[in-house]
Amino acid sequence: MTETDTETPVPGGAENDATDAVADKPAGEGEDTSRLEAEGDIAADYLEELLDIADIDGDIDIDIDHGRAAVEIVSEEDGGRGLRRLVGDDGEVLDALQELTRLAVQARTGDRSRLMLDIAGHRQARRNALTELANEAIAQVQTGNQDVSLQAMNPFERKVVHDAVAAAGLVSDSEGVEPNRRVVIRARS
Amino acid sequence: MLADALEHLVRGIVDNPDDVEVSSRTLRRGELLEVRVNPSDLGRVIGRNGRTARALRTVIDALSRSGPVRVDVVDTDRR
């Protein structure tokens, strides 16, 4: 679990977002798309009924993004205030709900799901803030020519940073043990 | 509402949804929800290192409007 951010998927196991770093397998595209659409539909049913029971206002958007089903709960009614509870202080409720939703998909399809769930734009906002942070650190590495270590982050956050670093043509890895695992951006040697 | 939400969440992730039972009790310290599933689904509901059970607790806690809720997965095999 602490070796690398791209752990091998375990069948039936709830995994974390670290598996996001696994490259998308090239597959028959049409077949892939319908499989992902089916994942999105199952997830939407699961979440819609939960919103119904909990009397929380929200609509479900289904999309396909980077070879995986992307489901978002959105709300226009009250600025998504009812949905805030489903995000949690640090997105921990969102992560829990994503995990359960993936399991719900798996229970129906028999295959592990890498579905991404977002609620009221939480992940997107977090992604933008992290990319900004990463870019500042990248600039620091490029000018200072020294490794730069970032603050401790969860797997999803580290993945966003690793992606930004790779896009800048630099190399990064992760050090430390959860929950203190952090990304280190390497200076070019 | 919490018991219904929990029942829905669990039914969705098991092989035998009709065997899922959730009972609710009010304790002095708050509400206790007990989940019973088909023994063959126990692993599903608990998950690796208790991860799934923890996710269920996190979501149910977030939905509670009246303080902390305890969620227990009851192993009916060993009752």
Side-chain angles (χ1 to χ4, degrees):
Chain A
M1 203 57 177
T2 55
E3 279 297 294
T4 154
D5 282 350
T6 55
E7 62 185 290
T8 313
V10 177
E15 75 307 330
N16 55 36
D17 282 291
T19 50
D20 293 0
V22 176
D24 297 324
K25 275 180 291 183
E29 201 149 292
E31 181 196 331
D32 228 35
T33 301
S34 66
R35 180 177 57 81
L36 294 174
E37 280 170 354
E39 281 195 19
D41 286 342
I42 295 167
D45 285 349
Y46 188 62
L47 294 166
E48 231 155 42
E49 188 164 344
L50 180 68
L51 293 177
D52 222 39
I53 293 169
D55 198 21
I56 295 175
D57 184 72
D59 295 318
I60 318 265
D61 284 351
I62 308 175
D63 204 354
I64 294 175
D65 185 21
H66 290 87
R68 42 170 93 196
V71 176
E72 180 170 9
I73 310 177
V74 295
S75 172
E76 282 157 26
E77 296 277 309
D78 56 356
R81 223 179 312 145
L83 294 182
R84 290 285 152 224
R85 286 193 298 153
L86 290 183
V87 173
D89 288 339
D90 211 11
E92 80 280 359
V93 183
L94 169 58
D95 286 339
L97 208 49
Q98 173 176 283
E99 192 161 325
L100 294 173
T101 305
R102 286 178 173 181
L103 292 174
V105 170
Q106 185 182 342
R108 294 273 298 277
T109 65
D111 292 321
R112 257 172 39 88
S113 166
R114 299 198 303 136
L115 172 144
M116 290 298 291
L117 176 65
D118 201 356
I119 298 177
H122 175 83
R123 279 196 207 281
Q124 191 54 52
R126 191 82 191 105
R127 197 176 281 127
N128 293 345
L130 282 164
T131 303
E132 207 171 301
L133 186 81
N135 286 335
E136 282 169 25
I138 289 163
Q140 211 181 322
V141 170
Q142 284 167 335
T143 54
N145 212 31
Q146 261 185 348
D147 293 359
V148 169
S149 173
L150 284 91
Q151 69 203 58
M153 294 176 186
N154 70 29
F156 162 76
E157 297 168 334
R158 293 198 304 270
K159 166 74 167 86
V160 174
V161 175
H162 285 310
D163 284 351
V165 171
L170 289 174
V171 174
S172 57
D173 43 284
S174 299
E175 286 181 354
V177 177
E178 301 275 13
N180 293 311
R181 203 159 161 77
R182 56 191 67 225
V183 176
V184 182
I185 307 174
R186 301 297 178 194
R188 245 189 260 277
S189 46
Chain B
M1 179 280 270
L2 288 179
D4 291 341
L6 182 60
E7 182 172 330
H8 167 68
L9 289 172
V10 173
R11 283 177 64 101
I13 63 171
V14 296
D15 285 333
N16 305 281
D18 292 344
D19 292 349
V20 176
E21 275 176 42
V22 176
S23 58
S24 164
R25 285 198 284 156
T26 308
L27 306 177
R28 254 178 311 169
R29 290 185 184 174
E31 196 171 0
L32 164 68
L33 298 177
E34 286 184 321
V35 188
R36 285 177 174 76
V37 298
N38 188 297
S40 65
D41 282 323
L42 204 56
R44 283 254 171 121
V45 178
I46 293 169
R48 190 162 47 117
N49 299 325
R51 207 182 152 110
T52 308
R54 201 156 53 237
L56 289 166
R57 289 189 183 106
T58 300
V59 173
I60 292 302
D61 244 350
L63 293 178
S64 170
R65 291 171 210 252
S66 56
V69 190
R70 210 173 105 190
V71 174
D72 280 358
V73 179
V74 182
D75 186 346
T76 46
D77 249 2
R78 280 186 273 158
R79 189 160 41 172

